[in-house]
Amino acid sequence: RGSHRSRMFALLLPPALSLLAGSAPSPAAPRAGRGARMAGGDVPSIIVGGGRIGSALKELGVEGDVVLRRGDAFPAAPASGPIYVTTRNDDLAGVVAATPPERRQDLVFLQNGMLGEFLEEQGLPDATQVLLYLAVAKLGEPPIDGITDTNPDGLTTAKGRWAEAFRARLAGGGLTCHVKQGDEYTKAMLEKHVWICAFMVTGALHGGVTVGEVESAHASQLRALVDELCAAGEAALGVRLEPGAFERLAAYGRSVAHFPTAVKEFEWRNGWFHKISQRALAEGRPDPLSLHTAALQELGVVKEGARV
């Protein structure tokens, strides 16, 4: 049975792909030694994907880490510990299916977008998740931390079983990570989701300008969309964001000013908000996201009256 599972993983494991997450002005500090990171709570881990983020996690890691690339069999060791998933969202179902059932609670998801519905469907509602505000410019280069002028203590946030281990791994490289649970994590998740959806749509409306241009040249349009998305997201998730959400999101935009903009991975990103619009209209209520819907229609991402 074990060899069958290994062959299955080798067939289903997606290509190693980097994860676009975020960046900030200051690079990581020099890493501490492996022994220090172990003492701080890091443990040998499996890393699915050998792209920029996967390779960075391996470099930050401890003795015994294993990186799984396309065609690799699921390893016998480490037999416990985190399984960091650094692939594209559309590859996640294959990764879950290829992971032995007894190890699926160890999966750690680092993707952008709203994963809640997917994780529920996979029987993993309490899986460890990470809101990753790191960027690696090139394979092998040190990661850049998500620090802004409004969040000098960093933005990367984790929740779940392996959150402390992930924080310890980043801390060994001089990188920041918060551990939050419940509504506090949900609020952080909503803010990051609003950031990527609002900035990408606004930039796309202006021909794919950079994130910095969105923040500097189209701030009023961006603010209106951020306010709308925040309000709808709060209602859907039953949370209330702290005051100053727009200022925090704008600050992060300034820290990654060179990033391009485009509407991608619709199902996981803007599609989550569009479903809120569609549910409201189906129930005879006004669209709570009229600006967002109009923008998607202008971009040709959805058609008037279309369902997702």
Side-chain angles (χ1 to χ4, degrees), residues 41-45 79-84 103-108 126-130 158-169 177 179 181:
D42 199 358
V43 295
S45 307
S80 63
I83 303 171
Y84 295 117
R103 295 299 313 277
R104 290 176 187 171
Q105 293 296 328
D106 294 324
L107 290 166
V108 179
D126 300 319
T128 304
Q129 291 181 251
V130 177
K159 74 160 186 173
R161 179 180 187 180
W162 294 112
E164 290 290 354
F166 183 78
R167 175 160 67 177
R169 178 160 297 215
C177 179
V179 173
Q181 308 295 346

Side-chain angles (χ1 to χ4, degrees), residues 55 80 113 136 138 150 181 191 216 269 271 274 283:
S55 296
S80 63
V136 181
K138 295 180 181 178
T150 61
Q181 308 295 346
E191 283 203 19
S216 63
R269 300 183 186 182
H274 191 56
E283 294 168 3

Side-chain angles (χ1 to χ4, degrees), residues 235-257:
L237 297 172
V239 296
R240 186 78 173 176
L241 298 179
E242 302 301 323
F246 176 78
E247 287 70 25
R248 291 190 295 274
L249 300 184
Y252 184 60
R254 291 191 295 274
S255 78
V256 292

